[in-house]
Amino acid sequence: MSSHTVPTVEASEPTAYRMLIGGEWVEAADGRTLEVITPIDRHRVIATTPRAGAEDVDRAVAAARRAQRGWAALPFTERQGALLRIADDLEDAAEDLAALTALDTGNALRTQARPEALLLASAFRYFAGLAGELKGVTLPSGTDALSLTRRVPVGVVAGILPWNSPLMIAAFKLPAALVSGNAMILKAAEDAPTTILELARVCERHLPPGVLGVLTGYGPEVGQALVEHRGVDKVSFTGSTATGSGVAAAAGERLAHVSLELGGKSPCIVFPDSDTDEVVEQVLLATRFARQGQSCTSGSRLFLHESVHDSFLDRLVDRVSQLVVGDPREEATDIGCIINQRQWDRVQGYVDDALATDGIRVAYDGRPALTVGEPGFYHAPMILSQVDNGWRIAREEIFGPVLSVIPWREEDEVVAMANDSHYGLAAFVFARDLGMALRTAQRVESGWVQVNQGGGQQVGQSYGGMKASGQGREFSLEGMLEGFTQIQQINVRLT
Ligand code: NAD
């Protein structure tokens, strides 16, 4: 990014971005644009991007189709080399990308934005290392026959991204798709597109034109057009469950491949032997308060055993009250801004609804102590206790810094409550007794269960949800093979 000036909130002129199609940085075919504001200041337009439509999708798909065959035909070492060079450049650009993430998404630099930018570089390095694993097998069919399989790319893949952690979600999709010989067209979220455009600027230096495209604009316009386009072989979607369900229906209609990473309402279960400050730290990570709760894997339902309920909650409240809500660009800030007014109102709506519920207790309300506010979309963390697992705040994804605390007594009871959700993305189990912990971990219906830790995402782990939280896995060797390749069987008669 050295050749490009990263916009600052103080900049008077918004950065006028173009999107990437066929190796060219272009406007929308009809010239329309949309404005991007920063969550730090609702009045400040930091960028304009093209507002792409169906014609732009046609152009991007045609360019991707032209490029994909040649890309797939390269020896794997060449794709590997390209990914390694991208990883090097991303590492160099990490601090700039982190600063832009803070401005673009409102995610705090130290707790979120910087780790997201660094994860991106290591994901490219990791998947470069897997380039030689795209192997087929041979059947022992005797000397008169050769029976072999090849792992071939799916083709042109659309990667549809949300706004909450754009670089991290791109890291789940892009390097795996590229190394396995696909072309990818990313659709950046309209609320936070700038880091994805900067990522593309780094990647295009090392990729043949058309292998990566980036489109910007609104979901129902450019997103829908991508999903419906017959030249898109697969849609890899991350976003809300409601949108994902429509995407799956549209892709299914034309029998395109699809994978979905959707919402969550993840349980976080604390056993009686885990009433310690160390566990409080891990539970705090699990809440994803440091990302304003805007995380699909947020452990937003905290199940505390009744024997340690009050003591653990006191510790947690004490710790949460020390968190600094502030300008996401400041190193001292723990919690930045919610993405926009609509999400802020939505979070507040859940809070108002919860506070009007009989029997609820407010264990912590950070709002009176908040020192920041307008023009940024700041929301203090809240901990609500004595919540019933059937209440709306315990069933629906709030996507804000709001934690529901639910007491429990018996192991079977807490497992049943944890699983009484249409979601199944993540779960957290805290118990020193490892038998108990692992038994519980295996009984929870979630795609990703963490034991005695709250934030241990690793490059190379399988990532994805059960139930309405999604279909398919990403970020791992298996995710790459299953999600971005297909098997071709070849049988040869040798006589
Ligand atoms: P969203 O569903 O509103 O939008 C996601 C993306 O889909 C955006 O780029 C949007 O423009 C696009 N889109 C919207 N309508 C479309 C359509 N009709 N066709 C094609 N694309 C369309 O989600 P969001 O508000 O950006 O993100 C928040 C949601 O994402 C939360 O529910 C969260 O749980 C989920 N999420 C899931 C994961 C995961 O890995 N499971 C990760 C991050 C976020």
Side-chain angles (χ1 to χ4, degrees), residues 270-287:
V270 177
F271 278 81
D273 65 1
S274 293
D275 181 21
T276 66
D277 289 341
E278 292 73 32
V279 174
V280 165
E281 283 308 313
Q282 295 301 320
V283 166
L284 195 59
L285 288 174
T287 63

Side-chain angles (χ1 to χ4, degrees), residues 228-244:
E228 290 175 356
H229 200 290
R230 298 215 161 260
V232 172
D233 301 295
K234 165 162 182 164
V235 180
S236 166
F237 173 87
T238 300
S240 62
T241 296
T243 306

Side-chain angles (χ1 to χ4, degrees), residues 403-468:
L403 180 66
S404 296
V405 182
I406 302 167
W408 64 276
R409 187 177 295 177
E410 304 295 336
E411 195 178 310
D412 284 350
E413 175 203 14
V414 76
V415 170
M417 285 196 286
N419 289 338
D420 182 16
S421 168
H422 62 292
Y423 289 119
L425 188 56
F428 308 83
V429 179
F430 293 93
R432 297 316 312 166
D433 176 338
L434 271 187
M436 202 152 61
L438 290 178
R439 198 167 57 234
T440 306
Q442 294 181 71
R443 292 175 73 193
V444 174
E445 297 160 353
S446 297
W448 178 25
V449 186
Q450 297 195 60
V451 175
N452 294 332
Q453 62 177 27
Q457 184 137 31
Q458 288 176 6
V459 171
Q461 72 168 73
S462 261
Y463 180 72
M466 295 180 179
K467 303 199 265 188

Side-chain angles (χ1 to χ4, degrees), residues 160-164 169 172 187-190 217-220 223-224 227 237-241 243 247 261-264 295-296 343 397 399 425 463 469:
I160 301 185
L161 304 175
W163 44 257
N164 60 336
I169 311 290
F172 292 177
K187 149 68 179 88
E190 49 271 46
Y218 293 113
Q224 187 76 27
V227 172
F237 173 87
T238 300
S240 62
T241 296
T243 306
V247 164
E261 306 278 1
L262 308 173
S295 163
C296 47
Q343 283 298 118
E397 184 180 51
F399 229 52
L425 188 56
Y463 180 72
S469 288

Side-chain angles (χ1 to χ4, degrees), residues 60-378:
V61 172
R65 295 210 78 80
R66 276 196 300 275
Q68 190 265 328
R69 283 187 187 205
W71 177 242
L74 291 174
F76 74 85
T77 47
E78 293 200 24
R79 287 193 299 277
Q80 180 174 55
L83 262 74
L84 288 172
R85 288 190 288 278
I86 292 172
D88 287 344
D89 283 4
L90 286 173
E91 240 159 37
D92 291 346
E95 203 51 35
D96 286 349
L97 286 170
L100 190 57
T101 296
L103 189 65
D104 192 52
T105 65
N107 291 351
L109 190 60
R110 173 177 50 83
T111 57
Q112 290 299 317
R114 189 174 292 126
E116 286 168 24
L118 291 171
L119 179 89
L120 177 68
S122 58
F124 269 85
R125 212 174 286 297
Y126 174 76
F127 282 102
L130 294 188
E133 296 306 316
L134 294 144
K135 295 183 280 208
V137 294
T138 52
L139 257 186
S141 324
T143 50
D144 292 346
L146 183 61
S147 172
L148 60 99
T149 63
R150 299 172 65 228
R151 282 270 174 196
V152 298
V154 175
V156 172
V157 181
I160 301 185
L161 304 175
W163 44 257
N164 60 336
S165 299
L167 290 180
M168 188 173 78
I169 311 290
F172 292 177
K173 303 183 190 300
L174 183 59
L178 291 180
V179 80
S180 45
N182 299 279
M184 182 161 245
I185 303 170
L186 291 175
K187 149 68 179 88
E190 49 271 46
D191 287 298
T194 65
T195 57
I196 297 303
L197 291 160
E198 295 294 351
L199 163 64
R201 200 187 288 269
V202 171
C203 292
E204 65 144 355
R205 295 203 284 263
H206 305 289
L207 296 173
V211 166
L212 171 64
V214 178
L215 297 173
T216 52
Y218 293 113
E221 295 177 0
V222 60
Q224 187 76 27
L226 256 180
V227 172
E228 290 175 356
H229 200 290
R230 298 215 161 260
V232 172
D233 301 295
K234 165 162 182 164
V235 180
S236 166
F237 173 87
T238 300
S240 62
T241 296
T243 306
S245 153
V247 164
E253 175 75 27
R254 59 183 186 83
L255 300 179
H257 298 238
V258 65
S259 62
L260 305 165
E261 306 278 1
L262 308 173
K265 193 72 194 178
S266 300
C268 181
I269 303 172
V270 177
F271 278 81
D273 65 1
S274 293
D275 181 21
T276 66
D277 289 341
E278 292 73 32
V279 174
V280 165
E281 283 308 313
Q282 295 301 320
V283 166
L284 195 59
L285 288 174
T287 63
R288 307 284 192 264
F289 275 177
R291 211 193 301 155
Q292 304 75 254
Q294 296 177 146
S295 163
C296 47
T297 56
S298 152
S300 50
R301 289 183 295 152
L302 176 59
F303 292 97
L304 294 180
H305 190 267
E306 59 175 15
S307 65
V308 295
H309 179 281
D310 293 355
S311 147
F312 192 93
L313 194 50
D314 285 349
R315 289 176 198 270
L316 183 64
V317 165
D318 184 48
R319 187 64 186 87
V320 170
S321 66
Q322 296 163 20
L323 297 178
V324 176
V325 182
D327 188 320
R329 295 165 301 172
E330 301 289 336
E331 292 286 341
T333 295
D334 295 299
I335 302 178
C337 311
I338 283 184
I339 188 75
N340 58 26
Q341 185 75 54
R342 183 168 49 87
Q343 283 298 118
W344 196 96
D345 290 345
R346 195 165 167 270
V347 173
Q348 194 53 39
Y350 276 104
V351 169
D352 292 343
D353 189 51
L355 295 180
T357 311
D358 277 348
I360 200 150
R361 294 209 196 132
V362 180
Y364 179 73
D365 181 352
R367 290 177 301 178
L370 208 58
T371 55
V372 281
E374 293 225 16
F377 300 113
Y378 295 96

